[in-house]
Amino acid sequence: MLDHVSEDLLADARITAVGLLMEACGGLVTRLAAQLADHGLAPIEFEILLRLGRSPDRLLRMTDLSLQTSLTSSGVTRVVDRLERDRLVVRQACSSDRRISYVVLTEQGKSRLVEVLPGHVELIERYLTGLLGPAELDGMLRSLRIVRDEVRPEATSGAGDPVVPRDQLAAR
Amino acid sequence: MLDHVSEDLLADARITAVGLLMEACGGLVTRLAAQLADHGLAPIEFEILLRLGRSPDRLLRMTDLSLQTSLTSSGVTRVVDRLERDRLVVRQACSSDRRISYVVLTEQGKSRLVEVLPGHVELIERYLTGLLGPAELDGMLRSLRIVRDEVRPEATSGAGDPVVPRDQLAAR
DNA sequence: GAAGATTGAAGCCTCAATCTTT
DNA sequence: AAAGATTGAGGCTTCAATCTTC
């Protein structure tokens, strides 16, 4: 039975805060997913194309994609299977380490990105960045960064950090 | 091929902002999911138990759960199937409208909530609310509420709404 | 006809096991 | 032994169709 202590916990403002975060994020994802679907992409597929497009030489290892996304290595295999079937990416063997598979964005993959991006950014502007003042937005991003660094300390590397060692990149 | 316009779009700060929001939210969910799993609950199952626990009479219609969560009506049927098999909820026919199935939290369901909640709130404090100052937190929640109301205008009722007045939120 | 709910089929993801390479 | 990647099995969710009740 729910006693007083539990009643307090049920109504705890911190739980509501998490609910708010998840509803905002989930709702935004749903809006963005609708536009991506118009271009034949699932959100996770778009994320992978985007990360490849943002990477030097437009390529990443399977493992990098696993670390940067929320997918397991198995999950990355399946998604890349689909993307490769659709000719949006290709697997490329690494010559210096034959365990490694590089995933490379194809011209078709780049075209798809170019196709999707304008509308994508437009929706973000409408449903997120355009709703808040510059100071508000900046404050929220600063807070989110603090949270992100704490809950996902390993994923701090963004588009700027070279995940692949230089020598391996050159040797591909 | 990626021309200059697309290059700019790929590096657009607004896309990065969405990425930050999703990484923070996803990372937090992962942390919370680990504790919920210790108590035999998936995140969506916990969410449903929580929404039932927060509702008058500890019950909701299947349709209400569908509107308040990210699940389709079909998805709600499956989750409630599992919860009912585990005796955490029971379906109860509505006497005035026989199309309606109420989902009612059982004593076992309440016990499970009581079991999970303290550790759950503790994790939220560690990975979200405790990381930010009162003003920072309040600002982020205000921004998130603006976004939530825009991307999910229909879900303005339920656990997502501040059950607690805002001044009390700030004064947590 | 519309609303509430369920079902079968299919797609997506994870877990554990496996294989290859280092 | 460890790292990178894949595979089979199983669970979860959605879509479309269906059923019942209003």
Side-chain angles (χ1 to χ4, degrees):
Chain A
M1 174 177 172
L2 296 176
D3 57 15
H4 300 90
V5 176
S6 307
E7 287 291 346
D8 290 345
L9 282 175
L10 274 174
D12 196 297
R14 290 167 289 191
I15 295 183
T16 305
V18 172
L20 194 53
L21 176 61
M22 299 203 296
E23 283 184 16
C25 190
L28 184 59
V29 167
T30 299
R31 297 285 185 168
L32 298 178
Q35 188 249 348
L36 295 176
D38 290 340
H39 295 271
L41 291 176
I44 187 64
E45 295 168 348
F46 170 72
E47 181 181 353
I48 285 182
L49 293 185
L50 181 66
R51 288 187 185 275
L52 292 175
R54 282 180 156 187
S55 296
D57 299 335
R58 319 292 184 209
L59 64 83
L60 286 171
R61 301 179 305 165
M62 297 290 285
T63 294
D64 297 327
L65 288 172
S66 171
L67 292 174
Q68 292 178 19
T69 66
S70 62
L71 292 176
T72 63
S73 63
S74 175
V76 172
T77 294
R78 319 286 181 167
V79 177
V80 170
D81 281 348
R82 300 198 296 272
L83 290 174
E84 194 168 29
R85 171 169 27 81
D86 295 344
R87 314 293 184 198
L88 302 179
V89 305
V90 287
R91 284 174 168 86
Q92 197 171 84
C94 174
S95 55
S96 62
D97 187 338
R98 307 175 68 166
R99 292 173 302 178
I100 292 176
S101 265
Y102 286 114
V103 183
V104 190
L105 195 61
T106 63
E107 288 302 321
Q108 284 187 53
K110 295 175 189 173
S111 299
R112 189 70 66 91
L113 266 183
V114 171
E115 220 179 271
V116 172
L117 279 174
H120 184 73
V121 172
E122 202 173 304
L123 282 178
I124 295 174
E125 182 70 17
R126 184 189 311 169
Y127 289 117
L128 180 65
T129 54
L131 295 176
L132 308 172
E136 260 180 314
L137 177 59
D138 201 53
M140 184 176 77
L141 294 180
R142 191 163 40 243
S143 295
L144 285 174
R145 209 170 285 118
I146 292 172
V147 174
R148 194 271 315 266
D149 290 345
E150 197 68 21
V151 296
R152 281 187 70 178
E154 78 284 1
T156 315
S157 66
D161 289 24
V163 184
V164 183
R166 275 296 150 208
D167 47 341
Q168 283 187 8
L169 258 179
R172 75 177 171 83
Chain B
M1 176 177 169
L2 295 176
D3 58 16
H4 300 90
V5 177
S6 306
E7 287 291 346
D8 289 346
L9 282 174
L10 274 173
D12 196 295
R14 290 167 289 189
I15 295 183
T16 306
V18 171
L20 194 54
L21 176 60
M22 300 203 297
E23 282 183 19
C25 190
L28 184 59
V29 166
T30 299
R31 297 286 184 168
L32 298 179
Q35 187 247 351
L36 295 177
D38 291 338
H39 295 271
L41 291 177
I44 188 61
E45 295 168 349
F46 171 72
E47 181 181 353
I48 285 181
L49 294 185
L50 182 66
R51 287 185 186 275
L52 291 174
R54 281 179 156 188
S55 297
D57 299 334
R58 316 295 182 209
L59 63 82
L60 286 171
R61 301 178 305 163
M62 297 291 286
T63 294
D64 296 328
L65 288 172
S66 171
L67 292 175
Q68 291 178 19
T69 66
S70 61
L71 292 176
T72 62
S73 64
S74 175
V76 172
T77 294
R78 320 286 182 166
V79 177
V80 170
D81 280 348
R82 299 197 296 272
L83 290 173
E84 193 168 30
R85 175 168 8 89
D86 294 343
R87 313 293 184 198
L88 302 178
V89 305
V90 287
R91 284 175 167 86
Q92 197 171 81
C94 174
S95 54
S96 61
D97 186 338
R98 308 177 66 166
R99 292 173 303 178
I100 292 174
S101 264
Y102 286 114
V103 183
V104 190
L105 195 62
T106 64
E107 288 302 320
Q108 283 187 53
K110 295 175 189 174
S111 299
R112 189 71 65 91
L113 265 182
V114 171
E115 218 178 272
V116 172
L117 280 174
H120 184 73
V121 172
E122 204 173 303
L123 283 178
I124 295 174
E125 182 71 16
R126 184 189 312 169
Y127 289 115
L128 179 67
T129 54
L131 296 175
L132 309 172
E136 261 180 314
L137 177 60
D138 201 51
M140 184 176 78
L141 294 181
R142 193 162 39 243
S143 295
L144 286 174
R145 210 171 284 118
I146 291 172
V147 174
R148 194 274 312 268
D149 289 344
E150 198 68 21
V151 296
R152 281 188 67 177
E154 78 285 0
T156 319
S157 65
D161 251 5
V163 181
V164 185
R166 182 181 301 174
D167 46 349
Q168 195 172 335
L169 244 178
R172 68 171 176 86

